[in-house]
Amino acid sequence: MKELKNFYIFTIGQLVSQFGSSMTSYGLILWAYKQSGSVLSTSLLLISNILPKMLLSYFAGNLTDRYNKKRIMLITDAIAAVLSLGILGMLFLGQLRLEYLYVINFIFGVSDSFQSNASAVTLSNLVTKEHYMKTSGIRSFFSSVSKIFYPITATFFYTIGGMQLIIVMDLLTFVFAFTTLLLFVPIPDVTVIRDMSFKEQCLLGLRYMMKRRDILSLIGFMGFVNLIAGIYSSCLTPMVLARNGNNDFQLGVVSSMIGISGLFGSIFVSKMQTNKKITQMLTIMGFSFLICNSMLGIGRNYYIWTIMVFVGNVFIPTVIANEDYIVRTIVPKEMLGKVFAIRSMFQYIAMMIGYFAAGFLTDKILEPFMSRPSRVQIMLSKIVGSGSGSGIALVYLCISALGFIGCILFKHKSSIMSLENVES
């Protein structure tokens, strides 16, 4: 326990900060959807945050390897707090507009490009290899606690005080996290080659990745998972609200189940260790895609949605822990920032495509299609129902098939399967 003291302090500070940020993000999606009634509008809100991460991840990763990680996190946290204050001011003045949020979310994304990479690399500097799986499970546990409570908490604050109250609470969590990191967490820096220029270090990272087709394939698989997850997450809130008559309480229950499932799943991480990590990852995701996503579309009440969200997410912490262990084990520490940056870039690209696809498919194609009677529409309505939200439900059937087929194809990819027996 003593050797993980700095890890616990750092993780708790990050948890509190992420809890506040998650409440704000959740509240802004609620605010945007209720203002516009459009899935595409809320998807664009997510895209505006992902786009700078996609563009800047590799640049940020190389800077993370080169400079003091604690200083990077403190600066970016402060920038996020200033942006939150800006939103709060516009809300009090009645001047907040959806288009302003797109710009603010873009700047949030720029800041987070540096913060998230510095945080990921820091964890490898705070713990040793034998604790990678354990600490991954602990982080999943803490993260899941946040996911359980932030939707309900955000909905409660939104109901009694609107977005203003949510942002005030977010700023309080910032003060706690900033103070904790500044005063109580010493972060050792990994020695890097200082006589290399920034450009040379960027090229060094690219050359390293081009030689590691196995790592690229693993990153590609996680990018594919994030593509499906982007569509999944973009559609969940609008589908539940559209099919339950805008019942915020039911939405809070369904959303919180993602965290509850992760809480249970984080407990299973250490008990599910295996040398066949890739097979385990593909099996878990194949099941989640095929069974749980399809039932989200077919189900027509929040009891079924709640159960399927739980079952579909309960073993995700194991997938994350396996991927995290493999990367941290086989990649030299001085290259981790670059590799994490490339991983983030792939995943952000995939998520952005997923967000846009979700909004476009629902608003422009499937929702209009399911509102116009036809032979095919009548047939599909027997599976997903009819009325508002039926087109979104149809999206879940599509990503169910796409995700399952993708897992089968990756199973037959030799480069990713060569990572099967990384020693635990």
Side-chain angles (χ1 to χ4, degrees):
M1 176 69 74
K2 188 175 180 180
E3 61 185 343
L4 293 178
K5 175 186 173 184
N6 289 333
F7 163 79
Y8 280 113
I9 296 174
F10 175 75
T11 301
I12 290 171
Q14 293 292 297
L15 167 69
V16 172
S17 177
Q18 289 169 6
F19 185 85
S21 298
S22 297
M23 281 200 304
T24 297
S25 297
Y26 187 85
L28 288 175
I29 289 173
L30 275 177
W31 183 89
Y33 184 70
K34 290 188 176 186
Q35 292 288 315
S36 66
S38 167
V39 178
L40 185 58
S41 294
T42 56
S43 294
L44 289 174
L45 192 63
L46 297 170
I47 289 171
S48 65
N49 183 259
I50 291 293
L51 183 60
K53 297 177 184 179
M54 179 192 74
L55 297 175
L56 296 175
S57 285
Y58 192 62
F59 174 76
N62 280 277
L63 281 180
T64 298
D65 279 340
R66 194 176 180 88
Y67 296 108
N68 184 278
K69 295 158 189 61
K70 182 173 181 175
R71 189 173 301 139
I72 290 172
M73 287 187 283
L74 289 172
I75 292 171
T76 53
D77 280 345
I79 291 172
V82 171
L83 292 171
S84 293
L85 280 171
I87 296 174
L88 184 62
M90 284 187 283
L91 282 167
F92 276 120
L93 294 172
Q95 296 298 314
L96 187 61
R97 302 288 185 271
L98 194 55
E99 54 268 28
Y100 298 165
L101 285 181
Y102 294 148
V103 176
I104 292 172
N105 252 18
F106 185 90
I107 303 173
F108 266 128
V110 172
S111 174
D112 195 49
S113 298
F114 293 89
Q115 202 277 342
S116 59
N117 199 281
S119 177
V121 176
T122 293
L123 288 168
S124 288
N125 297 340
L126 293 178
V127 300
T128 53
K129 176 184 173 181
E130 60 267 26
H131 293 302
Y132 283 169
M133 290 294 286
K134 177 182 178 180
T135 53
S136 181
I138 292 169
R139 284 187 290 120
S140 291
F141 180 88
F142 284 151
S143 177
S144 298
V145 170
S146 174
K147 289 177 182 176
I148 292 170
F149 292 106
Y150 86 73
I152 294 175
T153 307
T155 302
F156 173 74
F157 287 147
Y158 192 93
T159 301
I160 66 172
M163 275 303 305
Q164 293 94 326
L165 182 56
I166 291 177
I167 293 178
V168 168
M169 299 307 297
D170 184 12
L171 290 170
L172 291 176
T173 65
F174 156 76
V175 172
F176 175 85
F178 188 90
T179 305
T180 300
L181 178 60
L182 179 65
L183 300 179
F184 302 109
V185 184
I187 300 175
D189 270 329
V190 176
T191 302
V192 297
I193 305 173
R194 292 290 180 182
D195 58 353
M196 292 180 66
S197 69
F198 179 71
K199 178 181 177 181
E200 288 171 331
Q201 288 208 9
C202 289
L203 292 174
L204 177 66
L206 290 174
R207 285 195 291 266
Y208 175 80
M209 288 302 298
M210 291 306 295
K211 294 177 182 177
R212 297 305 304 259
R213 296 181 65 84
D214 50 353
I215 301 175
L216 277 174
S217 293
L218 178 60
I219 290 173
F221 171 68
M222 295 305 293
F224 173 74
V225 170
N226 275 268
L227 170 67
I228 304 297
I231 300 173
Y232 175 103
S233 59
S234 288
C235 289
L236 189 61
T237 294
M239 185 186 74
V240 173
L241 291 177
R243 309 202 85 175
N244 71 359
N246 285 312
N247 189 312
D248 291 340
F249 172 77
Q250 290 186 5
L251 174 62
V253 172
V254 174
S255 300
S256 295
M257 194 54 61
I258 296 175
I260 294 173
S261 64
L263 186 67
F264 280 91
S266 64
I267 298 171
F268 299 149
V269 167
S270 60
K271 302 181 184 301
M272 295 184 66
Q273 292 193 48
T274 173
N275 287 332
K276 296 186 178 297
K277 296 185 184 301
I278 299 297
T279 295
Q280 188 180 61
M281 293 168 68
L282 292 169
T283 301
I284 289 171
M285 294 314 307
F287 171 80
S288 179
F289 289 145
L290 182 63
I291 304 300
C292 302
N293 283 0
S294 62
M295 288 305 299
L296 279 173
I298 296 171
R300 302 179 198 178
N301 62 69
Y302 90 106
Y303 299 107
I304 294 176
W305 299 328
T306 301
I307 293 170
M308 287 302 107
V309 166
F310 178 86
V311 175
N313 286 277
V314 70
F315 294 117
I316 298 300
T318 298
V319 174
I320 295 171
N322 283 348
E323 188 256 358
D324 195 61
Y325 178 88
I326 292 170
V327 173
R328 293 184 190 275
T329 299
I330 65 181
V331 175
K333 284 189 177 180
E334 65 272 14
M335 299 296 294
L336 269 177
K338 299 172 178 62
V339 173
F340 282 146
I342 292 174
R343 179 182 71 176
S344 296
M345 184 173 66
F346 270 84
Q347 293 178 6
Y348 289 140
I349 291 172
M351 289 180 71
M352 189 179 72
I353 294 171
Y355 291 153
F356 182 79
F360 183 79
L361 284 172
T362 54
D363 283 4
K364 304 299 182 182
I365 300 177
L366 296 180
E367 278 290 299
F369 174 78
M370 291 300 292
S371 67
R372 293 190 296 265
S374 68
R375 188 170 299 177
V376 176
Q377 184 270 341
I378 292 172
M379 181 182 68
L380 291 173
S381 66
K382 294 179 180 178
I383 302 173
V384 298
S386 58
S388 180
S390 58
I392 309 177
L394 195 55
V395 171
Y396 280 102
L397 292 187
C398 294
I399 62 174
S400 171
L402 176 64
F404 183 70
I405 293 170
C407 288
I408 293 175
L409 294 177
F410 273 102
K411 175 69 175 176
H412 292 87
K413 193 172 179 62
S414 60
S415 53
I416 190 172
M417 295 308 298
S418 66
L419 296 170
E420 178 79 302
N421 297 311
V422 173
E423 293 184 2
S424 300

